[in-house]
Every structure is written in C-alpha cells, then in structure tokens.
Amino acid sequence: MKQNKEILDSLTINKMVVIGVGLIGGSLAKVLRTKGMVKQLVGVGRNEQNLKRAVAMGVIDSYSLDAAEAVQGADLVLISMPVLGIEKVLASIKDSLSPDTIITDAGSAKGIVVAAAKKVFGSVPAKFVPGHPIAGSEKSGIEAADEELYLQHMVILTPLPETDRGALDIVSQIWKAAGAEVVTMDVKYHDQVLAATSHLPHLLAYSLVETLAGRNENREIFRYAAGGFRDFTRIASSDPTMWHDIFLANREAVLKSLDAFSEGVTMLRKALEDQDSQSMMGIFTRAKSARDHFTKLLAQRAYVEPMNESDTTFFAGKKGALTGKLRVPGDKSISHRSIMLGAIAQGETEVSGFLEGEDSLATLQAFRDMGVVIEGPFQGKVKIYGVGMSGLKAPPGPLYLGNSGTSMRLLAGLLSAQSFDVELTGDSSLSVRPMKRVAGPLAQMGAKIETCDGKPPLTLRGGSEIHGIHYEMPVASAQVKSSLLLAGLYAKGVTRVVEPAPTRDHTERMLCGFGYKVDVKSLSGTSKEISLQGGGVLCGGSIDIPADISSAAFFMVAASIVPDSDITLEHVGVNPTRTGVINILQKMGADIQLIEERIVGGEPVADIRVRASQLQGIDIPEDQVPLAIDEFPVLFVAAACAKGKTVLRGAEELRVKESDRIQVMADGLVALGVDANPTADGISIEGGRYQGGVVDSQGDHRIAMAFSVAALRADGDIEILNCANVATSFPDFVNLANQVGMNVKVEN
Ligand code: S3P
C-alpha cells in the first residue's frame, strides 16, 4: 500500500477496488488502466458472471465476491452501486480498511451516503470523499463501460469540513485524469440541484411511459412515437433499481421539485383549457429561450454572454475587387428600441428586420425576464405582446446586458420608474463604461439609482416618484437623451432634454410611431430641445427595421479602397442623424450614391452604391462627429488608405466606447506601419502603404471588423485577435464579407 503523499506525487495507485463494476465503476477502471495509473484493479459484486466478464474484457485484473476481503491493503475504494445499498457495504468493509485507504462513491444523492457513513463509522471518516460523476446514461452494466465516458463531463465532490484535503486531492486528480471537470459542492445543495436537473426528469420520464404504456391503444401509440416521445423518454430505460434508490434517497428534494413542476403543469393546463394563447406563448417562448441558452452554454457559447472574449481570431487578407449586392443586418439602435417600446405599449407589436445580434438579444431577454411575452426572433421577425406602461414584473435576478451600453443606459431610464428593484450588469467591457451620465440626471428626476463608482452594475430601487426636469446634456449623446425621455414617460410633468448637437433621433421618431407626442424645438445653432409630457400610453403597431448604416459602413470603406469595386448596399437606414459616415467619405472623395431614397416606417431608407475611388485626407468637420460616432474605426482605415493627412478632433467620446477606440485603433494601425498619432480628443493619420501584422481588437466588435477591411490594402495578412464580440452587432459579418469578395477566415 502506498502513502497518500506518494500517490499524489506519482499519481499511481498500487491497489484500487471497485465495488459495483457497471457503467460508472467500469468506465473509471477502464480509463485508469489504459493510462497505467493503477497496478492492481479488483472488482467486487454479487453477480459472478458479470465480474468474470469484466476480467475477460480487461476492465479489472481480478474479482472477489467478498468486499471485506477485497479492500484489504487497498489504496482506493470506489463504491459505485445503488445508493441504498451503500450503508451495508460500508458496514461490511469497515473493519478491513487501513487508516490510509481512501474511499469515494458515485451515488447520485449525497445526503443519504453521508448519513450512512456517519451511522456505520460513528462519524464520517476523514478519508471518505463523497462524489457524484454526472455522466450516467440510460445504459447500464459492464458492457456499456466506456473509457471516454467522463471526457468533458462534470464530477461533483461534496467534501465535509472533516474531509482530509490530501484524500480530496487524490480523488479529484483521478477524476481529472479520466477527463472530467471536477467541482466541489455542499451536500445539501448538491441534492437540491440534482433533484431538479436529474431526478425530476427521470421521474417524469418513467411516469409518462408508464401512463402511455398502460393505455389500451398503447401498441398504436408506440408505433407512431417518433422524435418527441423518444427524446423525452430515453431516460426511462435507465436502471430501475438505481433510480428507485435515488428517488427514495433524495425524497424530500425530489418532492419539492415535483410540486413546483405540478404547479407549472396546472398553470399550463388552465391556459390551454381557457385557450389563453398569450399565456401559452409566454411559457413556450420563455422555455425555448432558456433551453436554447442552455444548449449554447453547453457548447461554450451563450448568446447573452459572449464567448470567452479572447478566443476568436480573424485572419484577413487581400483579394480582388468587391462586387455585388448585399443587405446587412437590421439597425441595432432601432432593434433595441422596438423591444423596449413594444414591451410597454398596449397591444401587439410586430417587428421585421430585427438584428439578431447579442446586444439586441440581451435587451430582448431582459424584457422576457420581466414577464413580457416575445415570440421570435425568427428570420428577423419578432412579435411583442405589450404589457402596458405598468405591466413589467420584477425579474428573477439581475438583468445581464452583455456588451450592450445602449441596453444599459436606456433601461436605466425606463426602469427607474418601475415598482420593483432591479440590478443591471454586463460583461467586462460594459462594466467599465461611464454610467454617471445617465445616473446623474435620472437621480435629479427622483430615481433611486446607485452605480459602482460611476460604473455598472446599476441598482435601481422601485417605487420612486419621477418628475420631469430640464436637462442640458454636456455631451451630445443619444443614449442619455433616450434614457431621460424613457424615464420621462413615467414622470410627473414635462421632461425636456437639450442636445448641444444633433444625435440619432430614433427614440423620438419611434415614440411618435407608437402614438406618443414628442416636441422638438430648434434652439440656437444646431442645438435642439426634445420634450414630452409623462403619463401617456403607447400603442403597439408594426416596425420595419432598415439595414444598419453602422454595419454598412465597413463595406462602404472596403469598396472605396479596393480598385474596381462596385457594390450596392440594400435598404440601408439613412436617417440624417446617422449619415456622418457618408458625408465624411464623400468629402474624402468617395464615390457613394444614394438610390431610391424612400421613407419606411418613419425612417429614411435608400440603396447605397459605392464604387472605388482615390480617397484624400481631410480635416473631419467636428459637426459630423456625433453623426458618425460608431463609424470612426473604419473611417480611420479609410484615412490610412487616403492620400495625405486626415485629422479628427472633438471626438473624446470615442475613448469610452466598447474600448478606447482612439488608442486601440492607433495601436493597431501603428503595428501595421501606419503613421497614426492619437490625441486626447482624436487622431491624425497619414495615408500610405502599410504591411500586415497582428492587431488586437480588445474585444471591440467594430475594431475587429475595421481591421478586416484594412487587410484589403495591406501588403501582408492581418491577424486580428479577440473578435468574438463581432456577434454583438453583426453575427454574419464574415460570411457576408466573403460573399462580396473580402477575405476573412475565422479561427476559434
Ligand atoms: C446609440 C447611441 C450612440 C452609439 C451607440 C448606440 C443609441 O451612443 O454610439 O452605439 O442607440 O442610442 P451615444 O449616444 O452615447 O454617443
């Protein structure tokens, strides 16, 4: 027998005993043998035939029918058998164990196993490490043993305060060696979680099959039972004894989960009986989004929580001219607002052209979490069942808004006047973005809003009395304006917001579209006052969202800088508060033509034809800055390809976007050999030839896409790091880009 320390140092075991050589025990034995980690593997069971088969299959070296005899001199004992039998086994081996023998088990309920150990030994032995590999299947027996069973599966260990740390380490290392991810958990918590996620579904599967099988027409039912029945009931083929034991062993927690489930089924039954479509759709859409989210989580890919922000790299290079027609995805700003306004409107709102990017989906999910029934998105279509001005409900937890500053700032306004408390959180980029700009004026309106040193998370206390204010924005920000106007809907009196320069006016336009009166008054220069009276109602309707000019901008620059290019971007929103990018590019000499300008759902829309041309460096007019605020990363690329110098001033806002866009772009351009000099409020860029190289987008979607465009003129390929967040605004960017002749490859 080895000392525990020796085992840990060498990760080899002289003797291991597996009591219960079935799927779970047999699979671990198999993988440890293959890896040469165990010198002698002894199986114990009651069925000699089974044990002989295990020897013949090479899973174990030898077997014994007597557990007490087998465990003598063992370094490690794994008990992998139905949980109700564990007490008896522990009692039988108690006197044969040496003080150094480590015992672990694989039972699906942990409270009962710990209680059994206490009963047998007086107190739970320090070398006993309760465990639970979550890797079972409906298959059982040694024939099903598979050395890859634990690969990427979880093993939960539930050590007690008295558990020996060395023993815990060894058990943990062994499971890890089998490929599992090991976590530790409190015994009681384990049993509650597993009751809901594993035990209840098994109970329901057994019950459904039994109910259907008991009906007279059962033959017929089973003959036609395809996908749904099969998927739902696969686990009813699991080992009955094992599950009988688990349900009894974790009875209380299972009953609690069953009660919660029964309540849910009763509600659904009532909705069906009453033909209450809205309640039914509410249940189904919430469940679908939760299930989809869960599937993506399992695939390491959550839609509200972008992939580990550092794990997607773009490799972009040169190709020929860009040609063809393309429609980029829907406008992000309008997509956010369609959900927000649709949710608090009366009646239904049908949206088409919705952007299915992570940012707008975060907004959608937030309103689902607040009880709004939302169908879709499906191919850009979304249907929102409005709950009225005061119909939102407290969400079950913090609202996670991912990378989306627009969601957080606009929701801060909208939610500051609700009856419930709510916390708004986001990813690492959003968590360092300034929120005082909304929290300050909202507090003046009476909101009880807390920030973390001016940054997220934001906490909003319910039941605040909101009143209108007159607010002159120090920075031209559509997000701040919109946040205050949304709070103003709930305020006593009139809310007036003065913008020093024009910013995107989608909130004003859309409020009008929802039947809410908004006044806009021109003040001196380009300044405007936007005001509304609180206490009105919004009426749902339909919204046709145009393609996002901010996404189209990448292709405008791409086609401008690659000789002989000629592309048409279809159905792009050309609201004059957004067309700074066109104005700036045209001033640089770009050949951009707006075709068939029209109004769609209150927004100006056009097809945009862009042909290659020699760009010239310019001083960017400062009045264009708020009108092109999101397009500067790609405009800097245009500047790098232009003749002469381009200078930007008055754009310090760029330093607090998804990244510090002045610095991150300057760093990337300099890495490619571009003469780029950042200043406090802008940058100067001398156009010319540049090379390929490695640049880091710092998780900023627009910077990742801008450098994909830059590659079209670089003398070598560009490797762009941290591109996962492209999915926040333009999930299909790479495909579309390659379709029109760009050259971008993705590596995850
Ligand atoms: C947005 C406004 C802009 C923009 C952001 C979206 C909006 O921010 O940068 O991507 O939808 O209102 P600011 O208004 O803070 O400049």
Side-chain angles (χ1 to χ4, degrees):
M1 223 189 124
K2 281 189 171 183
Q3 296 287 309
N4 285 182
K5 186 171 171 332
E6 251 183 278
I7 298 180
L8 247 190
D9 290 345
S10 64
L11 251 193
T12 51
I13 295 163
N14 277 349
K15 179 176 177 184
M16 176 170 169
V17 177
V18 178
I19 305 181
V21 193
L23 170 74
I24 294 292
S27 296
L28 184 64
K30 246 183 161 175
V31 56
L32 295 183
R33 276 196 112 205
T34 307
K35 291 193 170 240
M37 289 171 60
V38 186
K39 285 209 178 117
Q40 189 197 355
L41 243 160
V42 183
V44 176
R46 278 179 310 186
N47 181 337
E48 194 165 359
Q49 279 309 102
N50 185 54
L51 292 166
K52 278 187 175 158
R53 226 171 301 140
V55 175
M57 287 166 66
V59 176
I60 49 176
D61 299 299
S62 58
Y63 71 85
S64 167
L65 299 173
D66 181 351
E69 173 207 68
V71 300
Q72 283 171 21
D75 298 306
L76 176 68
V77 177
L78 167 71
I79 307 175
S80 48
M81 51 177 290
V83 273
L84 293 189
I86 292 182
E87 183 181 327
K88 215 166 143 199
V89 166
L90 287 176
S92 75
I93 62 174
K94 180 182 167 201
D95 297 329
S96 314
L97 293 166
S98 92
D100 246 2
T101 305
I102 297 167
I103 315 163
T104 188
D105 77 305
S108 198
K110 299 279 39 107
I112 191 141
V113 175
V114 169
K118 239 183 223 159
K119 197 163 160 209
V120 171
F121 294 94
S123 62
V124 180
K127 298 276 162 112
F128 181 65
V129 183
H132 175 204
I134 311 186
S137 86
E138 76 283 8
K139 297 183 193 132
S140 49
I142 186 64
E143 287 78 9
D146 171 7
E147 62 183 271
E148 294 193 345
L149 183 68
Y150 300 111
L151 276 186
Q152 283 160 22
H153 277 75
M154 220 177 238
V155 171
I156 304 175
L157 300 179
T158 59
L160 304 166
E162 58 268 39
T163 307
D164 179 273
R165 296 295 115 176
L168 175 64
D169 249 15
I170 291 172
V171 174
S172 170
Q173 293 303 336
I174 280 173
W175 283 116
K176 281 183 188 160
E181 184 195 337
V182 178
V183 294
T184 56
M185 213 182 254
D186 169 70
V187 170
K188 199 160 173 206
Y189 185 60
H190 167 276
D191 285 0
Q192 279 166 3
V193 170
L194 269 290
T197 57
S198 166
H199 306 171
L200 179 66
H202 279 83
L203 195 87
L204 298 180
Y206 282 127
S207 171
L208 179 68
V209 177
E210 158 72 1
T211 306
L212 294 187
R215 285 169 57 165
N216 284 341
E217 68 276 28
N218 58 12
R219 284 245 173 104
E220 282 299 286
I221 286 174
F222 285 116
R223 179 179 305 164
Y224 301 115
F229 178 83
R230 254 181 229 162
D231 286 351
F232 191 87
T233 59
R234 174 180 58 80
I235 49 180
S237 289
S238 305
D239 180 353
T241 312
M242 185 171 100
W243 282 98
H244 160 269
D245 280 18
I246 291 170
F247 296 138
L248 284 177
N250 200 20
R251 201 172 104 245
E252 267 179 39
V254 175
L255 287 175
K256 246 195 195 159
S257 290
L258 187 58
D259 288 346
F261 175 79
S262 306
E263 247 174 62
V265 171
T266 307
M267 251 163 56
L268 183 52
R269 188 187 186 289
K270 172 136 183 24
L272 181 58
E273 194 172 32
D274 300 347
Q275 301 184 36
D276 174 357
S277 295
Q278 186 169 338
S279 297
M280 286 169 67
M281 285 308 289
I283 294 166
F284 301 151
T285 49
R286 279 193 299 275
K288 174 173 163 41
S289 91
R291 183 62 171 82
D292 290 349
H293 183 199
F294 165 77
T295 314
K296 286 173 188 161
L297 263 180
L298 288 185
Q300 307 284 300
R301 180 82 176 72
Y303 82 73
V304 290
E305 204 156 358
M307 271 186 281
N308 169 358
E309 287 165 28
S310 62
D311 66 359
T312 299
T313 302
F314 285 180
F315 292 90
K318 266 191 179 144
K319 230 180 151 189
L322 275 72
T323 51
K325 291 187 173 178
L326 76 160
R327 179 165 172 164
V328 299
D331 188 277
K332 185 151 76 77
S333 294
I334 303 178
S335 295
H336 282 300
R337 288 159 172 84
S338 69
I339 300 291
M340 295 179 190
L341 299 183
I344 57 167
Q346 283 173 348
E348 293 163 19
T349 295
E350 302 217 27
V351 183
S352 57
F354 183 80
L355 167 67
E356 296 183 38
E358 282 168 353
D359 276 11
S360 35
L361 288 172
T363 293
L364 188 151
Q365 185 61 33
F367 281 90
R368 274 200 180 128
D369 285 344
M370 291 187 284
V372 182
V373 176
I374 303 173
E375 289 177 29
F378 179 69
Q379 294 176 349
K381 294 213 182 317
V382 175
K383 186 169 176 181
I384 308 149
Y385 294 82
V387 294
M389 295 300 285
S390 39
L392 296 177
K393 296 200 185 97
L399 296 175
Y400 178 77
L401 303 168
N403 196 248
S404 177
T406 308
S407 309
M408 186 167 288
R409 295 198 178 118
L410 270 57
L411 279 180
L414 179 52
L415 298 182
S416 61
Q418 305 297 327
S419 57
F420 48 83
D421 295 353
V422 60
E423 189 186 342
L424 307 178
T425 67
D427 72 0
S428 55
S429 147
L430 183 53
S431 299
V432 294
R433 295 187 64 187
M435 291 297 149
K436 256 200 193 135
R437 53 180 63 195
V438 288
L442 287 172
Q444 284 178 33
M445 293 177 81
K448 294 193 195 83
I449 180 165
E450 287 153 36
T451 64
C452 183
D453 232 356
K455 314 245 156 72
L458 296 186
T459 313
L460 296 149
R461 300 274 162 231
S464 311
E465 286 262 313
I466 303 291
H467 53 83
I469 56 166
H470 174 101
Y471 187 71
E472 303 208 355
M473 290 192 292
V475 228
S477 163
Q479 292 184 349
V480 176
K481 170 178 67 178
S482 304
S483 181
L484 303 191
L485 292 177
L486 292 175
L489 296 175
Y490 292 88
K492 249 201 194 132
V494 180
T495 299
R496 296 175 206 281
V497 186
V498 176
E499 56 183 15
T503 65
R504 64 191 70 190
D505 62 0
H506 305 300
T507 305
E508 298 91 299
R509 284 177 190 254
M510 291 176 76
L511 279 170
C512 292
F514 275 85
Y516 207 101
K517 190 166 176 302
V518 180
D519 290 316
V520 181
K521 201 163 85 187
S522 289
L523 305 176
S524 59
T526 53
S527 160
K528 277 188 184 143
E529 180 191 271
I530 301 98
S531 62
L532 55 75
Q533 166 86 43
V537 289
L538 305 181
C539 300
S542 61
I543 301 174
D544 181 355
I545 302 181
D548 197 330
I549 189 167
S550 299
S551 300
F554 299 103
F555 298 104
M556 291 182 205
V557 173
S560 297
I561 63 173
V562 180
D564 301 325
S565 294
D566 182 354
I567 61 164
T568 301
L569 293 147
E570 296 174 320
H571 204 76
V572 182
V574 287
N575 179 318
T577 59
R578 297 286 297 281
T579 45
V581 62
I582 298 179
N583 304 336
I584 294 169
L585 283 172
Q586 283 176 334
K587 197 166 182 327
M588 294 175 82
D591 181 354
I592 299 178
Q593 210 186 329
L594 268 56
I595 305 164
E596 262 192 64
E597 287 184 64
R598 53 213 182 256
I599 300 287
V600 179
E603 287 280 347
V605 170
D607 295 341
I608 300 178
R609 184 169 180 194
V610 188
R611 280 174 281 190
S613 59
Q614 175 57 61
L615 301 179
Q616 304 292 329
I618 57 163
D619 271 8
I620 297 177
E622 278 191 43
D623 64 355
Q624 294 300 311
V625 170
L627 311 182
I629 193 71
D630 291 335
E631 289 72 65
F632 282 107
V634 80
L635 282 170
F636 294 173
V637 172
C641 298
K643 243 195 196 146
K645 194 188 228 175
T646 297
V647 180
L648 171 69
R649 294 185 194 86
E652 51 275 90
E653 252 321 272
L654 294 180
R655 292 206 177 266
V656 288
K657 289 293 177 188
E658 284 82 328
S659 70
D660 175 345
R661 285 187 173 156
I662 293 177
Q663 196 56 50
V664 179
M665 279 305 297
D667 290 347
L669 289 171
V670 168
L672 303 179
V674 177
D675 181 4
N677 292 294
T679 58
D681 67 342
I683 196 165
S684 76
I685 298 170
E686 189 70 51
R689 284 184 73 160
Y690 53 88
Q691 327 121 31
V694 182
V695 298
D696 191 339
S697 80
Q698 303 274 0
D700 186 323
H701 53 137
R702 300 205 194 277
I703 292 185
M705 291 185 274
F707 279 110
S708 309
V709 174
L712 295 168
R713 280 277 290 268
D715 288 334
D717 287 354
I718 304 183
E719 180 177 345
I720 311 157
L721 309 176
N722 284 322
C723 298
N725 281 339
V726 164
T728 60
S729 67
F730 201 157
D732 204 27
F733 170 71
V734 171
N735 271 338
L736 268 184
N738 289 334
Q739 255 172 44
V740 285
M742 284 177 61
N743 176 9
V744 190
K745 288 186 193 71
V746 188
E747 200 169 274
N748 285 320

